[in-house]
Amino acid sequence: MNVFWNNRIMRLSPYIAGEQPRNANIVKLNANENPYPPSPKVIEAIKKAAAGDRLRLYPDSACTVLREAAAERYKVLPEQVFAGNGSDEALAFAFGAFFQTEPADEPVLFPDITYSFYPVYANLWGVPFKEIPLRDDFSINVSDYYEAVNGVIFPNPNAPTGIALSARDVLCVSKHCAEKNKTLIVDEAYQAFGAESVVPFINENPGLLTVHTLSKSASLAGLRAGFAIGQRHLIEALERIRDSFNSYTVDAIAQAAAAAALLDISYYDEINRRVIETRERTAVELAALGFKNLPSSANFIFTTPPSPLNAPRLFTLLRENGILVRYFDKPRTKDFLRVSIGLGSDMDRFLEVCAAAVKNAGCA
Ligand SMILES: *Cc1c(COP(=O)(O)O)cnc(C)c1O
């Protein structure tokens, strides 16, 4: 609280990001970063973009090379792509572009357990919203969203559950939204780790916007690049917001690096195949220790330790052993830890501490 703040700032409750420790010896399983380095072609592209006097000039405000690369990769047109400073920016702009904000407006719908940035964006723009409870098994019941009259947003796979919907189910929601000229935003941040994308269906779905990030599957969280795909009228709305705010949200280095990453499909298929393999092995070993895992299609596992051990105690124990995971202290998530998938050796260290904790707690 500060007397210099306006009322809008006073009312905000900003997002809290996963901690970035300075100590390099930490096993960092708390922000869903990719444990493998970005493609060597990305590093080459960054060097080239920074060479000589190149950074003297403003970047291409149209982000042409990035949009062309995304278009080639996803088999859409470059004008169906919006590039943002991380997908968080594309998401923030989408909240401002597609959801109505009058107090009398109906709420935007999203799950009660989902990416915790959504309510923050809604509050920032003054968008009314309603959180729809996931089923008891933590899956999304798509028919809960059919009556939405101010749009819908969810990640697929959902976060932090990791549970994916089929493209068919997602498209059912899209169809109902389009009937009311409303937008369904599908946040495909973790799609590469095992969910079906709905990008191939955008041409038949005028209200469908997909959002993508290079932070997770392309190992580029430090770069800040993301994008959205949808029909031209949706992309134009995002451009209108951006150009009312900052013409150059994606810098020249990020544009070149993201384009190179999007085109190096074989490199990323290989590292993400390894992440999936490590996830499956970790899930099996956790289950053998008595943990209950939700079925993950992402690069993390949402898991409940066996009693009398519990999530906050294990969180602290892991931390004392130099391993960071994420804990969300909310009624429906307080029994879970979200564990990002690291290198095989990271997961071995993690599982070792878990096994010792289970043994010391005298779990049945
Ligand atoms: C990590 C994450 C993002 C943010 O991605 P950036 O491109 O790094 O901004 C968006 N949505 C979900 C669901 C995420 O988990």
Side-chain angles (χ1 to χ4, degrees), residues 86-88 91 115 155 187 189-190 213 215-216 224-225:
S87 64
D88 282 341
L91 289 166
Y115 189 33
D187 183 346
Y190 300 103
T213 177
S215 300
K216 279 74 180 237
R224 309 311 301 139

Side-chain angles (χ1 to χ4, degrees), residues 273-331:
R273 187 190 60 73
R274 285 192 223 162
V275 170
I276 292 169
E277 228 173 67
T278 308
R279 176 188 76 208
E280 294 308 302
R281 171 176 72 92
T282 304
V284 167
E285 296 194 22
L286 280 173
L289 291 172
F291 286 63
K292 293 224 167 359
N293 310 317
L294 297 187
S296 173
S297 300
N299 66 340
F300 53 83
I301 299 176
F302 209 41
T303 187
T304 301
S307 61
L309 196 56
N310 63 37
R313 272 178 58 197
L314 181 57
F315 175 89
T316 306
L317 264 170
L318 286 163
R319 216 190 144 84
E320 286 164 4
N321 284 275
I323 300 168
L324 288 186
V325 298
R326 195 95 201 252
Y327 179 61
F328 301 98
D329 193 5
K330 294 268 169 64

Side-chain angles (χ1 to χ4, degrees), residues 15 31-32 84-91 114-118 121 154-160 187-190 211-216 220-222 224-227 299-300 338:
Y15 177 75
N32 300 339
N85 187 279
S87 64
D88 282 341
E89 187 179 70
L91 289 166
T114 195
Y115 189 33
S116 40
F117 231 134
Y118 301 157
Y121 294 136
F154 52 70
N156 192 38
N158 194 13
D187 183 346
E188 295 194 346
Y190 300 103
V211 177
H212 309 261
T213 177
L214 286 109
S215 300
K216 279 74 180 237
L220 288 172
R224 309 311 301 139
F227 53 99
N299 66 340
F300 53 83
R338 191 196 69 189

